[in-house]
Structure formats: structure tokens, C-alpha cells
Amino acid sequence: MAIDSVSAAYNKKAEEAYNKAGTYSKTTLDSTDFLKLIAAQLQNQDMTNPMSNSEMMQQLSQMSSIQTMSELKASIENMNDIAVTNYSASLVGKEVTLAVENSKGELETKVGLITGSGLYQGETVVFVDGKAYSLSQIMAIGKIPEDFIKDETVDKDETTDKDDTTTDDKTDNTEEVKPEA
């Protein structure tokens, strides 16, 4: 068996492992890829019309700028994660009102004491009564007054009543014609 066929079989197996679902797939270029492209460009350039130094410096500075922006983006994302984690930790020991979906798919409020915070599947969560809740489910720090919730319900009912009244007024202004028997 020739060495080339062993090498080809190894490369094919490595490529299959690389392309497996759930593994890292490379869709962007990094600085190493960029340097490989420049090296290939220099190797394959026309000797009668070589690449100018200013063009090469321009490409290198563009790559440097892109790399700096990528690092800045990663730093900002990291700072955001730290801020959210610190915020969730500051809520420990506080009473909160949560929006919770019941079995019918309706939203209900739940009041409880936050006993801990952490990360679950990449999302920051708080623990109330032994269950994990997303930070986005927190409606208020503390308990929402019952009057406020009732006022919201009454306001919605009044809006519905006003709409019904308007419809009734139009019906009252029209004359009814009764069929003769």
C-alpha cells in the first residue's frame, strides 16, 4: 500500500470528523487564513506587474482593524454577561413578582423570594421556591399592589364596555320595523 493512499484515507477521515453535525464548522476567516491568502497572492503574482507595497500594507491594516473590532465585540459581550450576572446576584434575598404561564397558557403573577441565581443553558436565571425563572419573567421587585392589578383589569373591562356602548347607541338610533302579523 502506498503512503499517498494512507495519507488520503487519513485526510478523508479527518475531513468527515470535521464536517460532522455538532462540531465546529468554520464559516469565517481569521488572521491565519488571511496570511495564507496573502502568501498565496505573493506566490502567484505576475512578476512583470508585482503587487505594490502600499496595497499590501493596506490589506494588512484592514486585517488588523477587523481583528481589533472582533476582539472589541467579544469584550463588550463579555462585559454584558458580567453585568447581567451581577444584577441577578444582587436580587438574591429580595421578594419579586413573576409572570408565570399556567397550564391553560394564561399569564399569572407569582410572588416569591429569590434564593439564588445562576446560568442555565447560557441564560441567567433566578431561583424562587426551588424553581428557575428567567430574568425576563420578573415583573417587579417586591409585590405588586392588588389595587394596581384590579385597576388594570377594570380599565380593560371599561374599554370593552365603551366599545359595546358605542355599538348599542348606533342600534338605539335606528328605527326597528316590526313585521305585521
Side-chain angles (χ1 to χ4, degrees):
M1 178 179 235
I3 294 175
D4 289 337
S5 62
V6 171
S7 175
Y10 176 78
N11 287 338
K12 182 173 175 121
K13 187 171 183 174
E15 184 177 335
E16 288 171 359
Y18 181 76
N19 292 327
K20 266 187 185 175
T23 60
Y24 174 76
S25 68
K26 194 170 184 179
T27 58
T28 60
L29 297 175
D30 60 9
S31 57
T32 306
D33 296 325
F34 183 76
L35 292 174
K36 287 179 184 177
L37 284 172
I38 288 182
Q41 186 177 12
L42 289 173
Q43 286 175 347
N44 297 315
Q45 69 181 337
D46 182 11
M47 296 309 280
T48 60
N49 186 16
M51 179 181 199
S52 71
N53 290 340
S54 62
E55 286 178 26
M56 178 180 261
M57 291 305 295
Q58 184 180 16
Q59 287 181 355
L60 288 172
S61 67
Q62 285 175 345
M63 182 57 200
S64 176
S65 295
I66 290 170
Q67 188 172 7
T68 302
M69 288 189 324
S70 296
E71 290 171 2
L72 181 62
K73 178 184 173 213
S75 295
I76 289 172
E77 288 172 350
N78 189 28
M79 286 173 43
N80 185 46
D81 291 344
I82 290 169
V84 170
T85 302
N86 284 338
Y87 172 69
S88 67
S90 73
L91 294 174
V92 174
K94 295 191 179 185
E95 183 180 54
V96 293
T97 303
L98 300 164
V100 182
E101 190 174 335
N102 65 16
S103 60
K104 296 177 185 175
E106 300 168 339
L107 284 180
E108 295 180 347
T109 59
K110 177 181 180 172
V111 177
L113 186 70
I114 295 180
T115 58
S117 70
L119 291 173
Y120 179 71
Q121 294 181 346
E123 183 180 2
T124 304
V125 295
V126 292
F127 298 99
V128 177
D129 296 333
K131 292 185 179 179
Y133 296 94
S134 170
L135 283 180
S136 62
Q137 289 180 278
I138 298 175
M139 295 174 59
I141 307 300
K143 185 176 181 179
I144 296 176
E146 292 294 324
D147 295 341
F148 181 78
I149 295 172
K150 287 179 184 175
D151 289 344
E152 288 291 315
T153 308
V154 169
D155 289 344
K156 288 179 185 175
D157 291 341
E158 285 177 4
T159 305
T160 306
D161 290 344
K162 286 179 184 175
D163 291 342
D164 292 342
T165 306
T166 308
T167 307
D168 290 342
D169 288 343
K170 289 180 183 175
T171 309
D172 291 341
N173 291 336
T174 60
E175 293 181 25
E176 274 188 39
V177 178
K178 295 182 182 178
E180 293 180 20

